[in-house]
Amino acid sequence: MDSILINKWLDQFENRQPIFNHIFLFIIAAAFVVSDWMYGAFTFTELIMGMALLVLILSGKYRIHIHQFKWILAPIIIISLHTVYLFNVQEDFALRVSVIALIKLSYFLFLIVGIYNYVRVQKLEKEFLIWNNLMAMIILAIGSYIAIAVYTEINFDQNLPYEFLLKFTRLDGHLYRKDIPIVRMKSIFQEPAHLGYYLNSILMVNLLNKNHIKITRWISTFLVIGVVLTLSYSSVFIMLAILCFWLLRNGNLLKGKIQWSSSIFFSLILIFFVIFLFRGLIYTTLIQRTIEIATGTESSGYERLIISWRYINKETYLFGYGFLQSPGMLWNVFAYVFTELGLIVFTLYILNIGYLMRFNIPIALVFILMNFAKGGYLSSSYWFLILLVIIYSGQHYESVYLFRRKEEQLEK
């Protein structure tokens, strides 16, 4: 009787598969734009994706490849042993923090693999990318409104309502510096660099995917403009790197054999118009900052690339301080991995990125740059980037699973 009820329940999802697919993809795309929204100890992304994972399981659509299950267990076991060892040798080791971090890591691993398999099995790569681009356009529209509202509030004492859009994140963070009240676009994210990180993640797979998916140039054009308007140094640099890799992959562009169309022409005109319109802001926040970094009067680049490694020493370089036990704030993922997990795990992390290069060198290089753009390997935005990377890197996929419905097993 129970088996019949379960089969009827699962058949309901099968009969409405196309609708279910789009609803599920929309939920995933929407979840990651609220990665900076906090509710208690959790981000909105973690809560929404937890419900999405539950829906996958209840609908019988959750799958794990046998080899994937081994790859999931490997980091969990390695970090578990690493945690037990450090707990026994370090007096001030915060075991509870590391255990919670390990649970969170396991959650993200099973979640990302489940979504990856669902998208690939249902052949939804194009639909998923379209939903992410549509969501990015909505975020840009909201960001433009908020930036205009903040600008008019500062300069004209006009009070357009926008605080309600930032209820679960920072109300400030729009300005370049307090002494230079330049308004930067951050939309519903905590700061402009986080918006740039999100937009670059989507721009990367739009231009560099190996799935032969073409997204209209207008959308990528608006993504580029959105990154520029964040006036985030790291975001603009990564965006330029993505465009360079795209040019290198499309050799005809470099050889002058490009077939000009009205969309390409007007896209370039629009980008140059925005740059011209905001040339003063761009000079102050990007060009002048480059000069300051080069002359040593601006230290943020030095902190991100050099100071982030300050806690590594001869006592901790091999095993680190422990999972989520960093003594202070760091500014890139590489530094976090080395500082907290030590040289051995850091080497394994580098080898995995090297493995990614077998499938898509441009995306692997952008992934490396993104590791320097934002710290925190347990942040929702970082795992969103990983999800996009593994779906659109062009990696070979096999449909052999550890978990599947009995009917599917019999068919095999």
Side-chain angles (χ1 to χ4, degrees):
M1 182 65 179
D2 291 340
S3 178
I4 294 174
L5 290 174
I6 291 173
N7 285 333
K8 286 184 176 180
W9 168 262
L10 297 176
D11 288 340
Q12 291 298 317
F13 287 94
E14 295 290 345
N15 296 333
R16 295 171 174 81
Q17 188 68 53
I19 298 174
F20 176 78
N21 287 342
H22 284 288
I23 293 175
F24 186 74
L25 295 179
F26 166 75
I27 291 173
I28 300 171
F32 283 102
V33 303
V34 290
S35 59
D36 284 346
W37 288 24
M38 296 296 297
Y39 185 79
F42 302 95
T43 66
F44 273 56
T45 301
E46 292 163 356
L47 297 173
I48 295 172
M49 295 310 295
M51 292 186 287
L53 179 62
L54 181 62
V55 169
L56 271 186
I57 295 172
L58 292 177
S59 64
K61 300 297 181 182
Y62 188 84
R63 304 286 188 272
I64 298 183
H65 190 291
I66 294 173
H67 297 301
Q68 291 170 343
F69 190 72
K70 296 175 183 177
W71 280 103
I72 288 176
L73 287 181
I76 294 174
I77 292 173
I78 290 172
I79 295 177
S80 297
L81 295 174
H82 177 268
T83 299
V84 170
Y85 170 75
L86 289 181
F87 175 68
N88 284 283
V89 299
Q90 291 184 8
E91 294 182 359
D92 57 346
F93 188 84
L95 180 62
R96 181 174 177 273
V97 173
S98 286
V99 170
I100 292 173
L102 187 60
I103 293 172
K104 191 172 181 179
L105 173 67
S106 304
Y107 165 75
F108 274 123
L109 287 171
F110 280 101
L111 172 68
I112 295 303
V113 169
I115 295 173
Y116 167 81
N117 287 336
Y118 179 79
V119 171
R120 295 300 292 266
V121 167
Q122 302 294 332
K123 302 186 187 308
L124 298 172
E125 293 91 342
K126 183 175 182 179
E127 288 79 2
F128 185 47
L129 192 52
I130 289 173
W131 273 114
N132 277 290
N133 278 277
L134 289 175
M135 193 56 59
M137 294 301 102
I138 295 172
I139 292 303
L140 284 175
I142 295 173
S144 299
Y145 170 77
I146 293 174
I148 292 170
V150 174
Y151 180 81
T152 55
E153 182 181 56
I154 292 173
N155 295 280
F156 305 107
D157 290 327
Q158 298 294 319
N159 294 316
L160 294 174
Y162 68 91
E163 292 86 352
F164 69 97
L165 293 168
L166 304 174
K167 181 178 180 180
F168 297 99
T169 184
R170 289 174 58 183
L171 279 171
D172 61 346
H174 302 278
L175 302 182
Y176 174 53
R177 288 204 307 247
K178 290 183 179 180
D179 58 327
I180 306 178
I182 294 174
V183 179
R184 303 191 298 168
M185 188 162 68
K186 77 181 188 75
S187 193
I188 59 174
F189 291 84
Q190 279 197 9
E191 57 184 74
H194 292 191
L195 172 61
Y197 187 98
Y198 167 73
L199 296 178
N200 276 328
S201 299
I202 298 174
L203 181 66
M204 172 191 71
V205 292
N206 279 358
L207 300 181
L208 304 177
N209 73 81
K210 277 194 172 181
N211 304 75
H212 306 292
I213 302 172
K214 302 294 183 181
I215 298 296
T216 176
R217 292 189 183 93
W218 284 110
I219 290 182
S220 294
T221 299
F222 285 121
L223 292 176
V224 169
I225 292 172
V227 173
V228 170
L229 293 180
T230 66
L231 301 174
S232 165
Y233 191 84
S234 60
S235 297
V236 172
F237 176 80
I238 292 172
M239 179 267 291
L240 292 174
I242 292 171
L243 294 178
C244 287
F245 294 144
W246 175 70
L247 286 171
L248 291 172
R249 257 183 56 171
N250 293 270
N252 288 337
L253 298 177
L254 295 177
K255 295 175 182 177
K257 297 180 180 179
I258 182 172
Q259 294 182 352
W260 288 92
S261 64
S262 58
S263 64
I264 294 177
F265 179 76
F266 285 112
S267 294
L268 291 175
I269 290 295
L270 182 58
I271 291 173
F272 286 125
F273 174 75
V274 170
I275 293 174
F276 176 79
L277 187 64
F278 296 98
R279 62 191 182 281
L281 308 183
I282 292 172
Y283 176 81
T284 301
T285 58
L286 301 177
I287 298 175
Q288 185 175 317
R289 190 176 179 191
T290 301
I291 297 172
E292 291 174 350
I293 291 174
T295 57
T297 57
E298 213 278 357
S299 61
S300 63
Y302 180 77
E303 290 176 350
R304 188 178 300 276
L305 298 176
I306 306 299
I307 300 298
S308 288
W309 307 86
R310 65 189 181 279
Y311 298 114
I312 299 170
N313 53 57
K314 62 181 180 180
E315 286 81 22
T316 63
Y317 82 94
L318 192 58
F319 293 105
Y321 288 87
F323 199 35
L324 221 64
Q325 307 279 324
S326 175
M329 179 67 70
L330 305 178
W331 288 273
N332 72 72
V333 173
F334 290 119
Y336 264 112
V337 174
F338 205 147
T339 300
E340 297 186 348
L341 301 175
L343 178 62
I344 298 174
V345 177
F346 178 76
T347 303
L348 294 174
Y349 184 69
I350 296 298
L351 290 175
N352 274 280
I353 295 176
Y355 181 74
L356 173 63
M357 287 188 174
R358 292 180 53 196
F359 306 102
N360 196 315
I361 292 177
I363 282 184
L365 293 175
V366 174
F367 181 71
I368 291 172
L369 293 176
M370 299 281 270
N371 272 252
F372 284 104
K374 187 172 178 286
Y377 47 60
L378 287 180
S379 67
S380 304
S381 55
Y382 174 72
W383 287 94
F384 175 62
L385 175 64
I386 288 180
L387 176 63
L388 294 180
V389 165
I390 63 175
I391 290 177
Y392 298 104
S393 64
Q395 185 172 348
H396 180 61
Y397 180 79
E398 299 175 7
S399 56
V400 181
Y401 299 102
L402 184 64
F403 302 131
R404 64 154 67 87
R405 292 176 64 180
K406 290 182 179 180
E407 291 86 347
E408 295 174 347
Q409 291 175 349
L410 292 174
E411 289 176 2
K412 290 288 183 180

